[in-house]
Amino acid sequence: MTLAAMLGSMNAYALRCGTNLVDEGDLKIKVLQACGEPVSREVIGYVDRLQVGDRVRVMNIEEWIYNISGNYQSLEFEGNKLVKITAVR
């Protein structure tokens, strides 16, 4: 019963790279250290995130594609932060 509760509470948005685990909210440097270089890395857009007075901070939205054990995974970053992990079909 305890095992079932633990499995149910695991984050579904984590990605295992070998023995390492990356999760939404992680920084790019942690993902690079855990998973290495992606097979593809592209800027796919921009987002306004922070307004201070008259200034707005604009950040890149970047998509990194990894081939993990024959399965492609898309990791989306806003600025330096991992915000989304999805399987590519």
Side-chain angles (χ1 to χ4, degrees):
M1 186 127 152
T2 303
L3 179 60
M6 287 173 49
L7 290 174
S9 66
M10 288 179 67
N11 189 344
Y13 301 104
L15 175 67
R16 182 164 304 281
C17 295
T19 60
N20 300 309
L21 193 64
V22 295
D23 200 358
E24 291 177 358
D26 288 344
L27 298 178
K28 284 181 182 179
I29 188 67
K30 181 179 179 195
V31 175
L32 280 172
Q33 289 173 340
C35 302
E37 283 293 326
V39 295
S40 173
R41 183 190 271 194
E42 292 188 39
V43 174
I44 59 172
Y46 303 92
V47 64
D48 299 337
R49 271 292 177 215
L50 178 64
Q51 184 164 351
V52 179
D54 294 337
R55 299 180 70 189
V56 175
R57 184 176 183 188
V58 178
M59 295 185 290
N60 287 346
I61 300 173
E62 213 172 316
E63 180 183 46
W64 293 7
I65 303 292
Y66 281 95
N67 183 347
I68 308 290
S69 301
N71 297 307
Y72 287 95
Q73 301 289 326
S74 168
L75 281 64
E76 189 173 305
F77 293 88
E78 289 183 6
N80 199 30
K81 186 177 177 183
L82 178 58
V83 295
K84 187 176 179 183
I85 301 170
T86 53
V88 177
R89 305 223 188 278

